[in-house]
Amino acid sequence: MSLYLSKKVMRNDSLRRAFNTLAVKTFGLSFEDWYQKGYWSEFNTPYTIFDGDRAVANVSVNQLKILCQGKVYNGIQLGTVMTDEAYRNQGLSRHIMEQVKEDWEKRYDFIFLFANESVLDFYPKFGFERKEQYQFETKAVPSPGLCRKLNMDSLHDRQMLAHYYKKTNPFSEIQVIDNYGLLMFYCCSFMKDWVYYSPEYDAVVIAEQDHNSLRCYDVYCDKRDERNDLPGLLSSMAKAGTKRIELEFTPYDVGCFDRSLRGGDADSLFVLSEGRETILDGGKHLFPSISHT
């Protein structure tokens, strides 16, 4: 085997093609459309091991600005962790993780990732600690108002989304900012039909209507006030028969929502802080699902 590690996948057509081949094989998705539309930026750096011209293992480094209670923190989120089946149990992921820690650990406030149940014992070997997450729900009182689904194939509507994204989410305690490219990874793929504009609240909302529940991933609008409340906004979007409103972020006003421990091991949060307290420690939070990488 002629194995080597590359950190220059994005700008190299052949390396990126091999990277996408492994991503499709592992996750059933390609990053090529995201790249071609100009949304893949230098904030996302794959650390990819190649065997010749074949990508065989990867961990991607995502640089994020995280706004929490008025203060901006610099975080690194690791994602797109994958190893070709034929190359597993050879220490390739360990090699990448050690390189990532060497490159980034002292440059950022903290490093974190989300892991599935198959690798829960792997990340603690590198000093990562598992953190609890919570979910937030409330009873829906549907009062359907006017809202328009934005067309993510329309340049005008994408520009509208970009304009409102800059307003940030005034209802979220923890949010990723200045990373429109990451948002468009979702909104140009499987969330493209979940983007709405409410003229009544002058807000863009990313939400999924699922049977009798409305699941909200993010909201972009001006600062919250007595005329601009989150339950009212989401109730205006809920279809008749909706029973529950579920949030995929931590609300500032938790008093309006029922809070409970988020169960299961399918998407567990791990944080590497080397003894430093971070915004992901303590408290009863949910890191925004739309900012997972």
Side-chain angles (χ1 to χ4, degrees):
M1 292 189 297
S2 54
L3 299 179
Y4 67 96
L5 174 66
S6 175
K7 307 172 191 176
K8 299 180 179 180
V9 167
M10 182 181 70
R11 301 297 183 189
N12 185 298
D13 290 347
S14 61
L15 295 183
R16 192 179 66 252
R17 187 162 46 248
F19 168 85
N20 280 320
T21 297
L22 180 59
V24 170
K25 183 178 180 180
T26 306
F27 302 115
L29 63 85
S30 170
F31 294 83
E32 189 62 22
D33 186 60
W34 188 46
Y35 172 79
Q36 293 297 337
K37 289 180 177 177
Y39 297 126
W40 186 349
S41 75
E42 303 295 343
F43 291 123
N44 178 296
T45 306
Y47 278 51
T48 311
I49 291 180
F50 291 86
D51 184 359
D53 59 0
R54 179 182 181 184
V56 298
N58 181 81
V59 176
S60 291
V61 171
N62 300 274
Q63 303 172 59
L64 304 178
K65 291 182 180 179
I66 302 170
L67 177 63
C68 180
Q69 298 183 347
K71 183 177 180 180
V72 175
Y73 299 84
N74 294 311
I76 291 291
Q77 183 180 174
L78 306 183
T80 323
V81 180
M82 53 188 180
T83 303
D84 188 287
E85 289 181 354
Y87 291 80
R88 292 176 184 172
N89 301 314
Q90 298 180 29
L92 300 187
S93 292
R94 173 178 289 277
H95 175 73
I96 298 175
M97 290 292 293
E98 290 171 349
Q99 185 64 58
V100 167
K101 286 187 65 177
E102 181 179 333
D103 289 352
W104 297 99
E105 188 173 7
K106 298 188 183 305
R107 296 170 55 187
Y108 276 72
D109 294 321
F110 53 89
I111 300 176
F112 66 106
L113 56 87
F114 294 89
N116 62 42
E117 62 272 15
S118 67
V119 289
L120 297 182
D121 295 331
F122 178 69
Y123 295 107
K125 298 175 183 178
F126 299 92
F128 284 85
E129 297 180 10
R130 187 173 179 179
K131 304 295 181 180
E132 293 180 337
Q133 290 210 94
Y134 287 76
Q135 59 190 33
F136 301 87
E137 302 179 356
T138 191
K139 182 180 179 180
V141 184
S143 55
L146 295 175
C147 65
R148 179 175 75 87
K149 180 183 289 187
L150 298 187
N151 180 1
M152 291 295 96
D153 293 324
S154 161
L155 175 60
H156 174 272
D157 282 3
R158 292 198 303 272
Q159 290 175 336
M160 184 176 180
L161 172 59
H163 170 75
Y164 279 82
Y165 174 73
K166 292 177 182 178
K167 296 175 182 286
T168 71
N169 183 346
F171 305 107
S172 181
E173 183 178 357
I174 300 173
Q175 57 186 303
V176 171
I177 60 173
D178 297 339
N179 201 326
Y180 184 65
L182 176 57
L183 173 67
M184 295 309 290
F185 174 77
Y186 288 97
C187 291
C188 282
S189 54
F190 64 90
M191 288 188 179
K192 67 183 301 182
D193 293 323
W194 302 351
V195 187
Y196 299 87
Y197 173 67
S198 167
E200 179 183 357
Y201 288 87
D202 192 25
V204 168
V205 180
I206 301 175
E208 175 191 15
Q209 185 81 46
D210 182 19
H211 301 298
N212 61 356
S213 65
L214 180 74
R215 183 174 295 108
C216 177
Y217 289 88
D218 225 339
V219 178
Y220 310 119
C221 62
D222 290 323
K223 294 181 179 179
R224 64 191 186 280
D225 57 34
E226 66 276 3
R227 300 163 299 167
N228 194 3
D229 67 290
L230 183 57
L233 167 59
L234 298 181
S235 292
S236 75
M237 299 186 61
K239 295 180 180 178
T242 302
K243 305 296 184 184
R244 301 289 292 175
I245 291 173
E246 304 169 3
L247 299 185
E248 289 295 324
F249 57 86
T250 306
Y252 258 112
D253 187 0
V254 297
C256 297
F257 295 88
D258 299 324
R259 179 171 53 192
S260 60
L261 185 64
R262 198 171 177 110
D265 295 329
D267 207 19
S268 300
L269 172 63
F270 284 84
V271 180
L272 175 69
S273 56
E274 296 296 331
R276 294 171 293 177
E277 186 175 349
T278 76
I279 59 173
L280 302 179
D281 294 317
K284 296 182 178 180
H285 305 299
L286 176 64
F287 190 83
S289 295
I290 204 168
S291 296
H292 288 201
T293 63

